[in-house]
Amino acid sequence: MSLNISGRNLDITPAIRDYVKNKIGRIDKHFDNVVDSQVMLSIERLKHTAEVTVRVPGKDIHCAASDENLYAAIDLLADKIDRQVVKYKEKANSHAHEPAKRLEVPAA
């Protein structure tokens, strides 16, 4: 998975970069087919925002989280995107129900 981290009104330090890689890297534990991930970190007065767009085959999953602390916003973001990726994986792996013409009809 390629991970692109950028900042708005913020310089991305190596510590922030490593923290984001560790947190967003949890996605690989659940789903191997992630094509690309883009993380945008921004700071406005008292609001720190973290956004991520994860590209998976057939869909882009976007998520955002805000908090007073940047690391807390990244934690919230990682939890949200993790739940969304698991939900996408379950939908992708669920199979259609048995077709009606192949179901057994109970004898009356």
Side-chain angles (χ1 to χ4, degrees), residues 14-57:
I16 293 174
R17 185 174 302 278
D18 291 339
Y19 193 75
V20 170
K21 281 183 182 180
N22 288 337
K23 289 294 185 172
I24 302 299
R26 292 189 324 191
I27 296 171
D28 285 336
K29 192 168 56 171
H30 298 293
F31 192 62
D32 295 335
N33 295 337
V34 175
V35 176
D36 183 27
S37 298
Q38 295 179 343
V39 178
M40 175 64 74
L41 304 174
S42 64
I43 293 179
E44 298 172 9
R45 292 196 182 234
L46 296 176
K47 186 170 97 172
H48 297 256
T49 304
E51 301 175 17
V52 66
T53 302
V54 176
R55 292 187 189 353
V56 292

Side-chain angles (χ1 to χ4, degrees), residues 85-95:
V85 167
V86 168
K87 183 178 177 181
Y88 170 78
K89 181 181 176 184
E90 287 174 358
K91 281 186 177 182
N93 289 339
S94 68
H95 299 287

